[in-house]
Amino acid sequence: MDKLGFLGRRLLQLVPVAVGITIVVFLMLRLIPGDPVRIILGSRATPEAIASLQRSLGLDKPLWEQYILFLGNLARGDLGMSLLYRQPVRALVLERLPATLWLVAYSAVLAVAITVPLAIVAARRKDRAVDQVIRGGTLLTLAMPSFWVGIIFMMFFSLRLDIFPVSGLGEGVRDRLYHLFLPSLTVALSLSAILIRSLRSSIVAVTLADFVDTARAKGLTERRIMLKHILRNALISTVTILGVNIGFLIGGTVVIENLFAIPGLGALMLSSISGRDYPMVQGITLVFAVLVVAVNILTDLTYAIIDPRVRL
Amino acid sequence: MATIQAAPAASRATIREASRPLWRNPSLLMGATLLAIVAGLAIFAPLLTPYGPIDQDLLNAHKPPSWAHPFGTDNFGRDVLTRVLYGARIDLMIGLVPTAITFVTGVLLGAIAGYYGGKIDTILMRVVDVAVAFPFIVLLIAIIAMLGPGLRNMFIAIALVGWISYARIVRGEVLVARNAEYVLAAKTLGFGDARIIFGHVLPNVITPAIVFFMSDAVLNILLGTALSFLGLGPQAPTAEWGRMIQEGRQFIVSGEWWMTTIPGLAILVVGVAFSLIGDGLADLLRVEERV
């Protein structure tokens, strides 16, 4: 039951953040230099068209009233109309969301699969040659632009070896995992460079903890100590570190979607910019923020479940 | 009195120590050398190449690396080496200009919030909570979507959001430092707040922010080139590495690897240079903790 209370308190803390997010998304439109309506419609628009678009964007009312209206629409799940597609933003966003979620989840899984073994090896062989090599590798990877890594992957795995497709989403789970492998690997690589560093130092810290000495004194094998004691704690750290970097992960997919032509939110966001589809950009920005917040809550919950000490 | 003066004296000692073992800090030395080389190449670009960064030569388009064009030519016959050299001017700026702006604003805001606490601090932390709820690059893309693409607007976007990390780091440090004896002593002596913050608190807490500056420079280069790759940065025909990769991307199908590979390597070199400097500084300034 206390886990439920924990969730409740966590959600309550979110209220000011949620309000802040809506304010940022609402005010974004104000950054447009000049009159957004004239920019959208061009210089040859009729006064009637201008007035009508102003009404539909709600720009003819005072700012605070516009914000209340905006909140009311949000509460009903209304993200406004896309200027480019002439359809509700919500429908278009929901249509593109699954591809992005696939990419995010797949990248997270691959990142963990890369991170955990390398971080363990580095921590176990701290300051030895292997550790230095892994350290150097993360330094290099951290300095590589992910879109460039993606292109290199394309040139090698898709064009030269012809084992992975250059773009697209695929149908069905297996085909999708196959299509999204290179893009996810690209996102995962840059993420794991960050994760390996944090996880390595947290494993080193755990290794020095008293319960490891105790386990050793009990005569447990090194293998058992590693698996049952150190790794379990390291896993908790991994979840936390992953949660902290979720914004980085989701941001990474935006660029990679555009490179691999994956029909997700990031690709939609970019195509909306050139079409001056401001409501769409606002809607997608909002959805991305909701995604980050949701994953953060999920991380906290996972944390509470796998760490028996959390009895908040 | 001795304990009161200990903190400032220590930081001065650190600076003296720091200037001594530069050659014993391979990370810092290598990073600084790499960066100096890139900066030199950027500055002396016109002397190093007979071509201009936007000179088209359609008869020699799509040429692989050769003696005349060591890194090949692009689809307009422009020399890729020349464009990479000139591109360094813009990309070094992307690494340094927004980073410097956000360093100053972030450190100031963090120091003020941490030192005064109360309402100012609460408001700042709320803003931080909201800002970190957005993926950083999504916020940048959204801002540029509103302002319009271009290098200047890219800088504005980063400046609007990038100060957050510095403010967080410095605020945390100042929260601890404001109760330190040397601050109490300065207050007792009747020093003004500005003098205490700039003269006493900041010199003692700025180190982590300086170390972070270097990783932030790497981050900004990666973000900046990514935005530029997405078409939101400097517009054609400007020579900029992210843009060059974008422009060369369609030609990887015909095996023209040099248009994309070379500018990416350039980004990598600058990123590694800043990372090495950061690692070196972190090593070097850890002296302070031991004193």
Side-chain angles (χ1 to χ4, degrees):
Chain A
M1 272 328 266
D2 46 46
K3 305 253 149 129
L4 265 180
F6 168 70
L7 181 66
R9 235 163 309 157
R10 188 69 184 74
L11 288 176
L12 210 63
Q13 286 171 0
L14 275 181
V15 174
V17 175
V19 173
I21 289 172
T22 58
I23 293 178
V24 169
V25 171
F26 169 72
L27 286 180
M28 265 166 49
L29 220 48
R30 303 278 138 192
L31 279 175
I32 301 171
D35 183 359
V37 174
R38 281 186 189 282
I39 290 175
I40 292 164
L41 293 177
S43 54
R44 283 190 295 170
T46 60
E48 294 82 52
I50 288 177
S52 129
L53 184 62
Q54 255 174 350
R55 255 198 315 282
S56 79
L57 289 176
L59 293 175
D60 52 343
K61 300 191 178 67
L63 198 61
W64 65 269
E65 211 172 306
Q66 285 177 35
Y67 178 62
I68 301 290
L69 222 72
F70 176 76
L71 277 187
N73 288 341
L74 274 188
R76 290 198 312 275
D78 179 2
L79 295 173
M81 286 295 270
S82 157
L83 300 172
L84 207 62
Y85 297 88
R86 313 257 169 216
Q87 279 178 50
V89 169
R90 188 176 71 156
L92 293 161
V93 164
L94 286 180
E95 197 185 302
R96 298 294 198 105
L97 188 60
T100 300
L101 290 180
W102 267 91
L103 190 56
V104 169
Y106 201 176
S107 307
V109 170
L110 287 181
V112 170
I114 298 168
T115 303
V116 174
L118 286 179
I120 291 175
V121 169
R124 296 280 291 177
R125 301 265 180 278
K126 184 170 170 291
D127 294 330
R128 304 246 211 99
V130 188
D131 185 28
Q132 302 288 355
V133 169
I134 293 176
R135 196 184 154 77
T138 58
L139 185 108
L140 271 181
T141 315
L142 274 177
M144 287 179 194
S146 65
F147 57 93
W148 178 73
V149 174
I151 290 179
I152 302 287
F153 280 170
M154 272 183 180
M155 288 200 280
F156 193 70
F157 292 111
S158 308
L159 297 172
R160 177 160 302 201
L161 299 178
D162 199 20
I163 43 177
F164 284 107
V166 197
S167 64
L169 199 54
E171 296 290 327
V173 173
R174 276 190 60 180
D175 197 31
R176 187 158 286 191
L177 288 177
Y178 170 62
H179 269 83
L180 289 181
F181 182 74
L182 279 191
S184 303
L185 184 66
T186 311
V187 178
L189 265 188
S190 58
L191 180 64
S192 56
I194 299 176
L195 297 186
I196 288 172
R197 287 194 164 192
S198 325
L199 189 58
R200 174 191 170 276
S201 42
S202 86
I203 295 178
V204 168
V206 172
T207 317
L208 300 174
D210 284 341
F211 64 80
V212 175
D213 287 337
T214 311
R216 212 161 270 151
K218 282 199 306 190
L220 297 185
T221 60
E222 280 300 308
R223 188 186 160 78
R224 199 176 157 81
I225 295 174
M226 195 66 211
L227 289 179
K228 290 281 284 184
H229 296 263
I230 297 179
L231 202 59
R232 173 155 190 168
N233 281 282
L235 213 62
I236 295 171
S237 322
T238 313
V239 170
T240 319
I241 297 164
L242 198 61
V244 170
N245 289 295
I246 195 69
F248 183 84
L249 168 58
I250 294 179
T253 64
V254 174
V255 183
I256 295 309
E257 272 180 19
N258 279 283
L259 175 62
F260 284 91
I262 296 164
L265 285 179
L268 184 62
M269 189 175 193
L270 259 293
S271 60
S272 308
I273 292 176
S274 42
R276 297 216 165 105
D277 195 346
Y278 299 119
M280 187 79 106
V281 174
Q282 281 180 299
I284 294 173
T285 309
L286 183 76
V287 170
F288 272 124
V290 171
L291 220 57
V292 171
V293 172
V295 173
N296 273 324
I297 297 175
L298 219 64
T299 318
D300 286 359
L301 270 181
T302 319
Y303 190 78
I305 290 166
I306 58 177
D307 189 347
R309 285 168 305 182
V310 179
R311 291 259 183 272
L312 292 161
Chain B
M1 264 330 249
T3 48
I4 288 164
Q5 283 188 346
S11 70
R12 229 173 287 136
T14 315
I15 293 163
R16 222 181 302 127
E17 295 246 309
S19 54
R20 192 163 42 86
L22 184 64
W23 55 89
R24 277 192 240 148
N25 190 322
S27 293
L28 189 57
L29 194 64
M30 268 164 57
T33 312
L34 260 183
L35 195 63
I37 291 174
V38 176
L41 292 175
I43 294 167
F44 299 112
L47 305 176
L48 297 170
T49 159
Y51 312 102
I54 54 172
D55 292 353
Q56 299 190 3
D57 178 6
L58 293 173
L59 289 176
N60 281 309
H62 300 282
K63 284 280 183 312
S66 63
W67 281 111
H69 301 283
F71 290 162
T73 62
D74 68 7
N75 49 320
F76 291 111
R78 298 175 296 197
D79 181 53
V80 172
L81 173 62
T82 304
R83 286 177 67 73
V84 167
L85 291 178
Y86 279 90
R89 295 176 169 188
I90 292 178
D91 285 283
L92 283 180
M93 240 163 63
I94 292 176
L96 292 171
V97 173
T99 318
I101 297 171
T102 51
F103 175 84
V104 173
T105 50
V107 166
L108 274 181
L109 287 171
I112 290 169
Y115 186 77
Y116 290 104
K119 266 221 173 65
I120 307 176
D121 189 36
T122 313
I123 293 173
L124 187 88
M125 288 329 282
R126 285 276 174 277
V127 173
V128 169
D129 284 344
V130 172
V132 297
F134 294 91
F136 194 66
I137 194 165
V138 169
L139 211 45
L140 296 185
I141 293 175
I143 294 172
I144 296 174
M146 301 298 151
L147 294 175
L151 192 63
R152 192 185 56 120
N153 289 345
M154 185 205 282
F155 286 176
I156 293 176
I158 299 179
L160 279 175
V161 200
W163 55 271
I164 302 273
S165 317
Y166 294 102
R168 269 175 138 181
I169 295 170
V170 170
R171 172 187 173 268
E173 298 281 328
V174 172
L175 274 182
V176 178
R178 74 170 173 190
N179 295 319
E181 283 185 351
Y182 66 90
V183 174
L184 297 179
K187 276 186 184 158
T188 317
L189 287 172
F191 291 173
D193 283 345
R195 180 165 174 189
I196 296 176
I197 292 175
F198 289 107
H200 298 261
V201 177
L202 274 186
N204 280 294
V205 302
I206 198 91
T207 314
I210 294 175
V211 172
F212 181 73
F213 182 98
M214 294 302 158
S215 14
D216 196 33
V218 181
L219 192 75
N220 283 338
I221 285 191
L222 294 185
L223 279 170
T225 50
L227 291 170
S228 179
F229 172 77
L230 296 174
L232 302 174
Q235 300 298 299
T238 314
E240 189 280 333
W241 298 336
R243 226 202 132 71
M244 290 173 68
I245 296 175
Q246 164 65 41
E247 287 163 356
R249 172 185 159 191
Q250 51 179 309
F251 303 108
I252 62 168
V253 184
S254 43
E256 296 170 46
W257 54 272
W258 54 92
M259 284 182 223
T260 44
T261 309
I262 304 291
L265 285 176
I267 299 174
L268 178 62
V269 168
V270 173
V272 167
F274 278 116
S275 294
L276 285 173
I277 296 175
D279 279 5
L281 277 182
D283 253 11
L284 200 73
L285 297 169
R286 214 164 285 147
V287 175
E288 195 174 39
E289 289 167 12
R290 266 185 259 125
V291 172

